[in-house]
Amino acid sequence: KQEVTQIPAALSVPEGENLVLNCSFTDSAIYNLQWFRQDPGKGLTSLLLIQSSQREQTSGRLNASLDKSSGRSTLYIAASQPGDSATYLCAAPSHTGANSKLTFGKGITLSVRP
Amino acid sequence: GAGVSQSPSNKVTEKGKDVELRCDPISGHTALYWYRQSLGQGLEFLIYFQGNSAPDKSGLPSDRFSAERTGGSVSTLTIQRTQQEDSAVYLCASRRTTWTGAYGYTFGSGTRLTVV
């Protein structure tokens, strides 16, 4: 059974700081891993999808890496801004198969102070 | 459509009433998922539809919960005899499916259900 862990549960940083959000998963036989952002009272917005054949993906100031052998993924946010304040969720497939349902971590609530 | 559409966005119902939540996925996405997010909790998988295959209902918390997907498109999640513990945000997602896992989930904005 896939388990996804995100620690810490909350993080507060000053504006401009580079930061790394960590995600660990127990079952490494995954086709991909996805990072999402959730603003208060809103749905989930997909940030990055990393396929198992890739080691990282980049979108603007965001960079996500995937290390299947160690069961870890990281989301790197460069030059953080107050608008980055949100909850960041990592999700990995629940079982082997390209179209598996996802198991989510509980998320990291990020606060970027002006 | 351009995104996953859910309705209503908010629903307040009395305990014991039935409710229906609707999800309209992205056109061409064969996979559709329902999740639930209770206050302060993580996302809980409910049910998964993939094409014409039998749905994966393994996450439904009780027999009061059911879902259907008509014509491989719109899905309706029905909760019968609602209880206060059913209060949560119900999120729907769709996905274009391949054998390579090259496509991720797209979520709707959710339906916030409050049972009073």
Side-chain angles (χ1 to χ4, degrees):
Chain A
K1 177 185 173 185
Q2 181 71 275
E3 294 182 6
V4 179
T5 303
Q6 293 184 258
I7 297 173
L11 190 60
S12 179
V13 300
E15 181 176 6
E17 189 162 301
N18 301 325
L19 55 106
V20 174
L21 306 182
N22 292 306
C23 169
S24 62
F25 49 94
T26 55
D27 185 350
S28 61
I30 58 173
Y31 278 71
N32 55 35
L33 182 141
Q34 197 165 358
W35 282 90
F36 295 88
R37 167 182 172 143
Q38 186 174 33
D39 292 284
K42 305 293 185 181
L44 276 66
T45 300
S46 178
L47 296 174
L48 289 164
L49 172 75
I50 312 173
Q51 295 183 69
S52 60
S53 58
Q54 301 169 325
R55 289 194 63 84
E56 61 180 57
Q57 278 283 0
T58 298
S59 176
R61 294 182 294 107
L62 304 179
N63 176 278
S65 67
L66 175 63
D67 183 346
K68 286 179 56 178
S69 61
S70 66
R72 294 180 183 275
S73 177
T74 62
L75 179 66
Y76 175 82
I77 303 177
S80 58
Q81 302 171 359
D84 295 330
S85 298
T87 297
Y88 291 81
L89 294 136
C90 163
S94 299
H95 53 76
T96 302
N99 302 306
S100 165
K101 58 182 181 278
L102 291 178
T103 296
F104 285 82
K106 293 193 183 300
I108 297 173
T109 299
L110 173 66
S111 174
V112 181
R113 307 186 301 272
Chain B
V4 177
S5 179
Q6 291 189 247
S7 61
S9 55
N10 281 285
K11 176 72 175 180
V12 180
T13 190
E14 292 181 352
K15 178 181 174 181
K17 300 283 190 183
D18 298 351
V19 294
E20 287 188 350
L21 312 180
R22 176 188 169 104
C23 173
D24 198 344
I26 293 173
S27 178
H29 282 195
T30 57
L32 186 148
Y33 307 79
W34 283 97
Y35 284 80
R36 177 170 73 172
Q37 188 174 36
S38 303
L39 186 63
Q41 300 297 312
L43 273 88
E44 175 188 12
F45 166 77
L46 297 177
I47 189 169
Y48 161 38
F49 296 91
Q50 171 59 56
N52 295 320
S53 301
D56 177 352
K57 304 179 182 179
S58 60
L60 295 179
S62 77
D63 58 9
R64 296 186 296 106
F65 288 73
S66 63
E68 62 177 20
R69 187 178 185 190
T70 54
S73 181
V74 172
S75 177
T76 302
L77 177 68
T78 301
I79 309 173
Q80 296 179 310
R81 305 181 301 282
T82 52
Q83 304 294 313
Q84 288 186 326
E85 61 262 29
D86 300 333
S87 296
V89 176
Y90 290 81
L91 292 161
C92 175
S94 72
R95 178 176 181 170
R96 179 177 167 185
T97 55
T98 70
W99 294 111
T100 63
Y103 299 96
Y105 282 42
T106 300
F107 276 84
S109 298
T111 294
R112 181 175 299 276
L113 175 66
T114 304
V115 182
V116 298

